Amino acid sequence: MNLEKVIFGFFIILALTLNFGFVLGEIDNPAHHNVYELFAAIVVNLVATLLKFGDRTQTGALLLATSLVAILQLFAAAVVWGYAVNISATGLDAMMMASIVSLAAGAMIANVISVVLLIADTIVLRR
């Protein structure tokens, strides 16, 4: 067992599960989506992205690209949340919450692609 690969896989899968936990619920109901869960998803995605910088293979480049997409979408969701809470006159309404969850769902798809690539790479290494 390679501890580096365990840590790498741990953060990739944790990023997906945290993002899934945030997205789960009614899309326009702010009570179903916790800001701290979005923050945790951003931090874990940042760590997973940093871990992917060392891999120089083609699969590593794809993993890095998917992580960058996820980070970009999660940051956009955080910016929309910050705008809704601190600047917008309407506050965090259903339309803003739907936008935030939609952006996080896009990041979740990028996380799913990362996990699929990781599993495919692991299967290829076994053969």
Side-chain angles (χ1 to χ4, degrees):
M1 179 174 64
N2 185 341
L3 183 60
E4 181 182 330
K5 292 192 184 294
V6 171
I7 293 171
F8 184 71
F10 169 78
F11 276 102
I12 289 177
I13 293 171
L14 184 61
L16 172 64
T17 56
L18 282 173
N19 204 353
F20 178 74
F22 176 76
V23 169
L24 196 62
E26 291 179 22
I27 192 168
D28 60 347
N29 188 346
H32 292 179
H33 310 284
N34 191 328
V35 69
Y36 297 115
E37 199 164 4
L38 178 63
F39 177 73
I42 291 171
V43 170
V44 170
N45 270 284
L46 279 172
V47 171
T49 302
L50 291 176
L51 291 174
K52 293 173 185 172
F53 273 111
D55 193 355
R56 295 181 183 263
T57 63
Q58 180 64 31
T59 304
L62 287 172
L63 285 170
L64 181 60
T66 57
S67 276
L68 292 174
V69 168
I71 289 293
L72 182 67
Q73 295 218 325
L74 288 173
F75 275 141
V79 167
V80 171
W81 195 309
Y83 173 79
V85 170
N86 298 315
I87 298 172
S88 175
T90 60
L92 188 60
D93 59 359
M95 185 184 81
M96 290 286 191
M97 195 72 234
S99 296
I100 293 165
V101 173
S102 295
L103 287 165
M108 188 180 75
I109 289 177
N111 289 145
V112 167
I113 293 170
S114 282
V115 170
V116 169
L117 286 172
L118 181 67
I119 291 170
D121 193 46
T122 303
I123 290 172
V124 169
L125 286 178
R126 290 274 178 190
R127 293 186 177 187

Short mmCIF file of all heavy atoms in Angstrom, two decimals, residues 44-103:
data_model
loop_
_atom_site.label_atom_id
_atom_site.label_comp_id
_atom_site.label_asym_id
_atom_site.label_seq_id
_atom_site.Cartn_x
_atom_site.Cartn_y
_atom_site.Cartn_z
N VAL A 44 -11.33 21.42 0.69
CA VAL A 44 -10.89 20.07 0.32
C VAL A 44 -10.58 20.01 -1.17
O VAL A 44 -9.61 19.36 -1.58
CB VAL A 44 -11.96 19.03 0.73
CG1 VAL A 44 -11.65 17.67 0.15
CG2 VAL A 44 -12.05 18.95 2.24
N ASN A 45 -11.34 20.71 -2.00
CA ASN A 45 -11.03 20.75 -3.43
C ASN A 45 -9.69 21.45 -3.68
O ASN A 45 -8.95 21.06 -4.57
CB ASN A 45 -12.14 21.44 -4.22
CG ASN A 45 -13.18 20.46 -4.69
OD1 ASN A 45 -12.96 19.72 -5.64
ND2 ASN A 45 -14.32 20.41 -4.01
N LEU A 46 -9.38 22.49 -2.90
CA LEU A 46 -8.08 23.15 -3.03
C LEU A 46 -6.94 22.19 -2.67
O LEU A 46 -5.92 22.12 -3.37
CB LEU A 46 -8.02 24.39 -2.14
CG LEU A 46 -8.68 25.64 -2.69
CD1 LEU A 46 -8.72 26.72 -1.63
CD2 LEU A 46 -7.94 26.14 -3.92
N VAL A 47 -7.12 21.44 -1.60
CA VAL A 47 -6.09 20.47 -1.20
C VAL A 47 -5.93 19.40 -2.28
O VAL A 47 -4.80 19.05 -2.65
CB VAL A 47 -6.44 19.84 0.17
CG1 VAL A 47 -5.50 18.68 0.49
CG2 VAL A 47 -6.39 20.88 1.27
N ALA A 48 -7.04 18.89 -2.79
CA ALA A 48 -6.98 17.87 -3.84
C ALA A 48 -6.29 18.42 -5.09
O ALA A 48 -5.52 17.71 -5.74
CB ALA A 48 -8.39 17.38 -4.18
N THR A 49 -6.54 19.68 -5.40
CA THR A 49 -5.89 20.30 -6.56
C THR A 49 -4.38 20.41 -6.34
O THR A 49 -3.60 20.11 -7.25
CB THR A 49 -6.49 21.69 -6.83
OG1 THR A 49 -7.89 21.55 -7.03
CG2 THR A 49 -5.86 22.33 -8.04
N LEU A 50 -3.98 20.80 -5.15
CA LEU A 50 -2.54 20.90 -4.86
C LEU A 50 -1.86 19.55 -4.97
O LEU A 50 -0.72 19.46 -5.42
CB LEU A 50 -2.33 21.51 -3.48
CG LEU A 50 -2.71 22.98 -3.34
CD1 LEU A 50 -2.55 23.44 -1.89
CD2 LEU A 50 -1.87 23.84 -4.26
N LEU A 51 -2.54 18.49 -4.55
CA LEU A 51 -1.96 17.15 -4.62
C LEU A 51 -1.79 16.68 -6.07
O LEU A 51 -0.95 15.84 -6.36
CB LEU A 51 -2.82 16.15 -3.85
CG LEU A 51 -2.83 16.32 -2.34
CD1 LEU A 51 -3.84 15.37 -1.71
CD2 LEU A 51 -1.45 16.07 -1.77
N LYS A 52 -2.58 17.22 -6.97
CA LYS A 52 -2.53 16.80 -8.37
C LYS A 52 -1.43 17.48 -9.16
O LYS A 52 -1.14 17.06 -10.28
CB LYS A 52 -3.88 17.06 -9.04
CG LYS A 52 -4.99 16.19 -8.49
CD LYS A 52 -6.34 16.58 -9.05
CE LYS A 52 -7.42 15.77 -8.38
NZ LYS A 52 -8.75 16.24 -8.75
N PHE A 53 -0.80 18.49 -8.60
CA PHE A 53 0.25 19.19 -9.34
C PHE A 53 1.48 18.33 -9.59
O PHE A 53 2.22 18.56 -10.53
CB PHE A 53 0.66 20.48 -8.61
CG PHE A 53 -0.19 21.65 -8.97
CD1 PHE A 53 -1.05 22.19 -8.05
CD2 PHE A 53 -0.12 22.21 -10.23
CE1 PHE A 53 -1.85 23.27 -8.39
CE2 PHE A 53 -0.91 23.28 -10.58
CZ PHE A 53 -1.78 23.82 -9.64
N GLY A 54 1.74 17.33 -8.77
CA GLY A 54 2.94 16.53 -8.94
C GLY A 54 2.85 15.47 -10.01
O GLY A 54 3.87 14.94 -10.46
N ASP A 55 1.65 15.13 -10.46
CA ASP A 55 1.47 14.05 -11.44
C ASP A 55 1.69 14.60 -12.85
O ASP A 55 0.99 15.50 -13.29
CB ASP A 55 0.06 13.49 -11.30
CG ASP A 55 -0.12 12.18 -12.05
OD1 ASP A 55 0.83 11.76 -12.76
OD2 ASP A 55 -1.19 11.59 -11.92
N ARG A 56 2.68 14.04 -13.58
CA ARG A 56 3.02 14.54 -14.91
C ARG A 56 2.47 13.67 -16.04
O ARG A 56 2.83 13.84 -17.19
CB ARG A 56 4.52 14.66 -15.04
CG ARG A 56 5.10 15.68 -14.11
CD ARG A 56 6.59 15.80 -14.29
NE ARG A 56 7.14 16.72 -13.34
CZ ARG A 56 7.39 17.99 -13.60
NH1 ARG A 56 7.16 18.47 -14.78
NH2 ARG A 56 7.90 18.76 -12.68
N THR A 57 1.61 12.72 -15.72
CA THR A 57 1.03 11.86 -16.76
C THR A 57 -0.15 12.55 -17.43
O THR A 57 -0.62 13.60 -16.97
CB THR A 57 0.56 10.54 -16.15
OG1 THR A 57 -0.48 10.83 -15.22
CG2 THR A 57 1.71 9.82 -15.43
N GLN A 58 -0.65 11.94 -18.52
CA GLN A 58 -1.82 12.49 -19.20
C GLN A 58 -3.04 12.44 -18.29
O GLN A 58 -3.84 13.38 -18.23
CB GLN A 58 -2.09 11.72 -20.51
CG GLN A 58 -3.27 12.21 -21.29
CD GLN A 58 -3.10 13.64 -21.78
OE1 GLN A 58 -1.99 14.09 -22.06
NE2 GLN A 58 -4.19 14.37 -21.89
N THR A 59 -3.17 11.34 -17.56
CA THR A 59 -4.28 11.24 -16.60
C THR A 59 -4.14 12.30 -15.52
O THR A 59 -5.14 12.89 -15.09
CB THR A 59 -4.29 9.83 -15.96
OG1 THR A 59 -4.37 8.86 -17.00
CG2 THR A 59 -5.47 9.67 -15.03
N GLY A 60 -2.92 12.56 -15.10
CA GLY A 60 -2.69 13.61 -14.10
C GLY A 60 -3.10 14.98 -14.61
O GLY A 60 -3.65 15.79 -13.87
N ALA A 61 -2.85 15.23 -15.90
CA ALA A 61 -3.26 16.51 -16.48
C ALA A 61 -4.79 16.62 -16.52
O ALA A 61 -5.35 17.69 -16.22
CB ALA A 61 -2.69 16.65 -17.89
N LEU A 62 -5.47 15.53 -16.84
CA LEU A 62 -6.93 15.55 -16.84
C LEU A 62 -7.48 15.72 -15.42
O LEU A 62 -8.47 16.44 -15.21
CB LEU A 62 -7.48 14.27 -17.47
CG LEU A 62 -7.34 14.17 -18.98
CD1 LEU A 62 -7.73 12.77 -19.45
CD2 LEU A 62 -8.20 15.21 -19.66
N LEU A 63 -6.84 15.04 -14.46
CA LEU A 63 -7.28 15.19 -13.06
C LEU A 63 -7.11 16.64 -12.60
O LEU A 63 -7.98 17.19 -11.92
CB LEU A 63 -6.48 14.25 -12.16
CG LEU A 63 -6.85 12.78 -12.21
CD1 LEU A 63 -5.82 11.95 -11.46
CD2 LEU A 63 -8.23 12.57 -11.61
N LEU A 64 -6.00 17.25 -12.98
CA LEU A 64 -5.77 18.65 -12.60
C LEU A 64 -6.81 19.56 -13.26
O LEU A 64 -7.34 20.48 -12.64
CB LEU A 64 -4.36 19.08 -12.98
CG LEU A 64 -3.98 20.51 -12.62
CD1 LEU A 64 -4.08 20.73 -11.11
CD2 LEU A 64 -2.58 20.84 -13.11
N ALA A 65 -7.11 19.30 -14.52
CA ALA A 65 -8.10 20.11 -15.23
C ALA A 65 -9.47 20.00 -14.58
O ALA A 65 -10.16 21.03 -14.39
CB ALA A 65 -8.18 19.70 -16.70
N THR A 66 -9.87 18.81 -14.20
CA THR A 66 -11.18 18.65 -13.55
C THR A 66 -11.21 19.35 -12.20
O THR A 66 -12.21 19.96 -11.82
CB THR A 66 -11.56 17.17 -13.38
OG1 THR A 66 -10.54 16.52 -12.63
CG2 THR A 66 -11.75 16.49 -14.71
N SER A 67 -10.09 19.30 -11.48
CA SER A 67 -10.04 20.00 -10.19
C SER A 67 -10.10 21.51 -10.36
O SER A 67 -10.75 22.20 -9.56
CB SER A 67 -8.75 19.65 -9.44
OG SER A 67 -8.91 18.47 -8.74
N LEU A 68 -9.43 22.02 -11.38
CA LEU A 68 -9.48 23.46 -11.61
C LEU A 68 -10.89 23.92 -11.97
O LEU A 68 -11.34 24.98 -11.53
CB LEU A 68 -8.48 23.85 -12.70
CG LEU A 68 -7.00 23.70 -12.32
CD1 LEU A 68 -6.12 23.96 -13.52
CD2 LEU A 68 -6.64 24.60 -11.17
N VAL A 69 -11.59 23.10 -12.75
CA VAL A 69 -12.99 23.41 -13.08
C VAL A 69 -13.84 23.42 -11.80
O VAL A 69 -14.65 24.32 -11.59
CB VAL A 69 -13.54 22.41 -14.12
CG1 VAL A 69 -15.05 22.53 -14.24
CG2 VAL A 69 -12.87 22.62 -15.46
N ALA A 70 -13.65 22.40 -10.96
CA ALA A 70 -14.43 22.32 -9.72
C ALA A 70 -14.15 23.52 -8.83
O ALA A 70 -15.08 24.13 -8.27
CB ALA A 70 -14.10 21.02 -8.98
N ILE A 71 -12.87 23.89 -8.70
CA ILE A 71 -12.52 25.05 -7.87
C ILE A 71 -13.15 26.32 -8.42
O ILE A 71 -13.70 27.14 -7.68
CB ILE A 71 -10.99 25.18 -7.79
CG1 ILE A 71 -10.40 24.07 -6.95
CG2 ILE A 71 -10.57 26.55 -7.24
CD1 ILE A 71 -10.77 24.13 -5.50
N LEU A 72 -13.07 26.50 -9.72
CA LEU A 72 -13.64 27.70 -10.35
C LEU A 72 -15.14 27.79 -10.08
O LEU A 72 -15.66 28.85 -9.72
CB LEU A 72 -13.35 27.69 -11.85
CG LEU A 72 -13.85 28.89 -12.63
CD1 LEU A 72 -13.09 30.14 -12.22
CD2 LEU A 72 -13.70 28.66 -14.11
N GLN A 73 -15.84 26.68 -10.23
CA GLN A 73 -17.29 26.69 -10.01
C GLN A 73 -17.64 26.89 -8.54
O GLN A 73 -18.61 27.60 -8.22
CB GLN A 73 -17.91 25.41 -10.55
CG GLN A 73 -17.76 25.32 -12.07
CD GLN A 73 -18.96 24.73 -12.73
OE1 GLN A 73 -19.60 23.85 -12.17
NE2 GLN A 73 -19.26 25.20 -13.91
N LEU A 74 -16.86 26.30 -7.64
CA LEU A 74 -17.14 26.48 -6.21
C LEU A 74 -16.85 27.91 -5.78
O LEU A 74 -17.58 28.49 -4.96
CB LEU A 74 -16.34 25.48 -5.38
CG LEU A 74 -16.83 24.04 -5.47
CD1 LEU A 74 -15.86 23.11 -4.75
CD2 LEU A 74 -18.22 23.88 -4.89
N PHE A 75 -15.78 28.51 -6.32
CA PHE A 75 -15.51 29.92 -6.01
C PHE A 75 -16.64 30.81 -6.55
O PHE A 75 -17.05 31.76 -5.88
CB PHE A 75 -14.18 30.37 -6.61
CG PHE A 75 -13.00 30.05 -5.74
CD1 PHE A 75 -11.82 29.61 -6.30
CD2 PHE A 75 -13.04 30.19 -4.37
CE1 PHE A 75 -10.72 29.31 -5.52
CE2 PHE A 75 -11.95 29.90 -3.57
CZ PHE A 75 -10.79 29.46 -4.16
N ALA A 76 -17.13 30.50 -7.74
CA ALA A 76 -18.24 31.28 -8.29
C ALA A 76 -19.48 31.15 -7.40
O ALA A 76 -20.18 32.14 -7.15
CB ALA A 76 -18.55 30.83 -9.71
N ALA A 77 -19.72 29.94 -6.90
CA ALA A 77 -20.86 29.75 -5.98
C ALA A 77 -20.68 30.56 -4.71
O ALA A 77 -21.62 31.18 -4.21
CB ALA A 77 -21.02 28.26 -5.65
N ALA A 78 -19.44 30.59 -4.19
CA ALA A 78 -19.17 31.37 -2.97
C ALA A 78 -19.34 32.87 -3.23
O ALA A 78 -19.85 33.60 -2.38
CB ALA A 78 -17.77 31.07 -2.46
N VAL A 79 -18.92 33.33 -4.40
CA VAL A 79 -19.07 34.74 -4.75
C VAL A 79 -20.56 35.11 -4.84
O VAL A 79 -20.99 36.14 -4.34
CB VAL A 79 -18.32 35.07 -6.06
CG1 VAL A 79 -18.72 36.44 -6.59
CG2 VAL A 79 -16.82 35.01 -5.83
N VAL A 80 -21.33 34.25 -5.49
CA VAL A 80 -22.79 34.50 -5.59
C VAL A 80 -23.41 34.52 -4.20
O VAL A 80 -24.25 35.38 -3.89
CB VAL A 80 -23.46 33.45 -6.50
CG1 VAL A 80 -24.97 33.56 -6.43
CG2 VAL A 80 -22.98 33.59 -7.93
N TRP A 81 -22.99 33.60 -3.35
CA TRP A 81 -23.52 33.56 -1.97
C TRP A 81 -23.16 34.85 -1.23
O TRP A 81 -23.99 35.47 -0.57
CB TRP A 81 -22.96 32.36 -1.21
CG TRP A 81 -23.71 32.04 0.06
CD1 TRP A 81 -24.01 32.90 1.07
CD2 TRP A 81 -24.25 30.78 0.43
NE1 TRP A 81 -24.70 32.26 2.06
CE2 TRP A 81 -24.86 30.96 1.70
CE3 TRP A 81 -24.27 29.53 -0.16
CZ2 TRP A 81 -25.48 29.91 2.37
CZ3 TRP A 81 -24.88 28.50 0.52
CH2 TRP A 81 -25.48 28.68 1.76
N GLY A 82 -21.91 35.26 -1.35
CA GLY A 82 -21.48 36.51 -0.70
C GLY A 82 -22.22 37.71 -1.23
O GLY A 82 -22.61 38.60 -0.46
N TYR A 83 -22.43 37.75 -2.55
CA TYR A 83 -23.20 38.85 -3.14
C TYR A 83 -24.63 38.86 -2.62
O TYR A 83 -25.16 39.92 -2.27
CB TYR A 83 -23.19 38.72 -4.67
CG TYR A 83 -24.10 39.71 -5.35
CD1 TYR A 83 -23.70 41.03 -5.54
CD2 TYR A 83 -25.37 39.33 -5.79
CE1 TYR A 83 -24.55 41.94 -6.14
CE2 TYR A 83 -26.21 40.23 -6.39
CZ TYR A 83 -25.81 41.54 -6.57
OH TYR A 83 -26.64 42.45 -7.16
N ALA A 84 -25.25 37.68 -2.56
CA ALA A 84 -26.64 37.60 -2.13
C ALA A 84 -26.80 38.03 -0.68
O ALA A 84 -27.75 38.75 -0.34
CB ALA A 84 -27.16 36.17 -2.31
N VAL A 85 -25.88 37.64 0.17
CA VAL A 85 -26.01 37.93 1.60
C VAL A 85 -25.59 39.36 1.94
O VAL A 85 -26.23 40.03 2.74
CB VAL A 85 -25.18 36.90 2.42
CG1 VAL A 85 -25.11 37.31 3.88
CG2 VAL A 85 -25.78 35.51 2.27
N ASN A 86 -24.53 39.87 1.30
CA ASN A 86 -23.95 41.15 1.71
C ASN A 86 -24.30 42.34 0.83
O ASN A 86 -24.23 43.47 1.29
CB ASN A 86 -22.43 41.02 1.78
CG ASN A 86 -22.00 40.00 2.81
OD1 ASN A 86 -22.52 39.98 3.91
ND2 ASN A 86 -21.08 39.14 2.43
N ILE A 87 -24.64 42.11 -0.43
CA ILE A 87 -24.84 43.24 -1.35
C ILE A 87 -26.27 43.32 -1.88
O ILE A 87 -26.85 44.41 -1.93
CB ILE A 87 -23.84 43.12 -2.54
CG1 ILE A 87 -22.40 43.20 -2.01
CG2 ILE A 87 -24.10 44.22 -3.56
CD1 ILE A 87 -21.34 42.92 -3.03
N SER A 88 -26.83 42.21 -2.27
CA SER A 88 -28.15 42.20 -2.92
C SER A 88 -29.23 42.72 -1.98
O SER A 88 -29.25 42.42 -0.78
CB SER A 88 -28.49 40.77 -3.36
OG SER A 88 -29.80 40.72 -3.88
N ALA A 89 -30.15 43.50 -2.56
CA ALA A 89 -31.26 44.03 -1.77
C ALA A 89 -32.26 42.95 -1.39
O ALA A 89 -32.93 43.05 -0.37
CB ALA A 89 -31.96 45.13 -2.57
N THR A 90 -32.38 41.90 -2.22
CA THR A 90 -33.34 40.83 -1.94
C THR A 90 -32.79 39.79 -0.98
O THR A 90 -33.55 38.97 -0.47
CB THR A 90 -33.77 40.15 -3.25
OG1 THR A 90 -32.61 39.59 -3.88
CG2 THR A 90 -34.45 41.13 -4.17
N GLY A 91 -31.49 39.76 -0.77
CA GLY A 91 -30.89 38.77 0.12
C GLY A 91 -30.78 37.41 -0.54
O GLY A 91 -30.79 37.29 -1.76
N LEU A 92 -30.68 36.40 0.29
CA LEU A 92 -30.52 35.03 -0.23
C LEU A 92 -31.90 34.44 -0.52
O LEU A 92 -32.48 33.73 0.28
CB LEU A 92 -29.77 34.18 0.80
CG LEU A 92 -29.35 32.78 0.37
CD1 LEU A 92 -28.42 32.85 -0.84
CD2 LEU A 92 -28.67 32.05 1.50
N ASP A 93 -32.42 34.75 -1.70
CA ASP A 93 -33.74 34.25 -2.08
C ASP A 93 -33.61 32.94 -2.87
O ASP A 93 -32.51 32.41 -3.05
CB ASP A 93 -34.50 35.30 -2.88
CG ASP A 93 -33.79 35.71 -4.15
OD1 ASP A 93 -32.69 35.20 -4.41
OD2 ASP A 93 -34.34 36.57 -4.88
N ALA A 94 -34.73 32.43 -3.33
CA ALA A 94 -34.75 31.14 -4.01
C ALA A 94 -33.95 31.17 -5.31
O ALA A 94 -33.26 30.20 -5.65
CB ALA A 94 -36.20 30.73 -4.29
N MET A 95 -34.01 32.29 -6.04
CA MET A 95 -33.29 32.38 -7.31
C MET A 95 -31.77 32.35 -7.07
O MET A 95 -31.04 31.64 -7.76
CB MET A 95 -33.66 33.66 -8.04
CG MET A 95 -33.03 33.77 -9.41
SD MET A 95 -33.38 35.32 -10.22
CE MET A 95 -32.17 36.37 -9.46
N MET A 96 -31.30 33.08 -6.08
CA MET A 96 -29.87 33.08 -5.77
C MET A 96 -29.42 31.70 -5.28
O MET A 96 -28.35 31.23 -5.64
CB MET A 96 -29.55 34.13 -4.69
CG MET A 96 -29.66 35.54 -5.17
SD MET A 96 -28.28 35.97 -6.23
CE MET A 96 -28.52 37.71 -6.36
N MET A 97 -30.24 31.08 -4.44
CA MET A 97 -29.88 29.76 -3.93
C MET A 97 -29.82 28.75 -5.06
O MET A 97 -28.91 27.90 -5.08
CB MET A 97 -30.91 29.30 -2.89
CG MET A 97 -30.44 28.15 -2.05
SD MET A 97 -29.15 28.70 -0.91
CE MET A 97 -27.86 27.58 -1.29
N ALA A 98 -30.74 28.83 -6.01
CA ALA A 98 -30.71 27.91 -7.17
C ALA A 98 -29.43 28.13 -7.98
O ALA A 98 -28.84 27.15 -8.47
CB ALA A 98 -31.95 28.12 -8.03
N SER A 99 -28.99 29.38 -8.12
CA SER A 99 -27.75 29.64 -8.85
C SER A 99 -26.55 29.05 -8.11
O SER A 99 -25.66 28.45 -8.73
CB SER A 99 -27.54 31.15 -9.02
OG SER A 99 -28.55 31.70 -9.81
N ILE A 100 -26.51 29.23 -6.80
CA ILE A 100 -25.40 28.69 -6.00
C ILE A 100 -25.35 27.17 -6.10
O ILE A 100 -24.29 26.58 -6.34
CB ILE A 100 -25.56 29.14 -4.53
CG1 ILE A 100 -25.38 30.64 -4.43
CG2 ILE A 100 -24.59 28.39 -3.63
CD1 ILE A 100 -25.86 31.23 -3.12
N VAL A 101 -26.49 26.52 -5.95
CA VAL A 101 -26.53 25.05 -6.00
C VAL A 101 -26.21 24.56 -7.41
O VAL A 101 -25.53 23.53 -7.58
CB VAL A 101 -27.89 24.54 -5.50
CG1 VAL A 101 -28.02 23.03 -5.69
CG2 VAL A 101 -28.08 24.89 -4.03
N SER A 102 -26.63 25.28 -8.42
CA SER A 102 -26.31 24.88 -9.80
C SER A 102 -24.81 24.93 -10.05
O SER A 102 -24.24 24.03 -10.68
CB SER A 102 -27.03 25.78 -10.80
OG SER A 102 -28.40 25.61 -10.71
N LEU A 103 -24.16 25.98 -9.56
CA LEU A 103 -22.71 26.07 -9.71
C LEU A 103 -22.01 24.94 -8.95
O LEU A 103 -21.06 24.33 -9.45
CB LEU A 103 -22.21 27.43 -9.23
CG LEU A 103 -22.54 28.60 -10.17
CD1 LEU A 103 -22.34 29.92 -9.45
CD2 LEU A 103 -21.68 28.53 -11.42
#
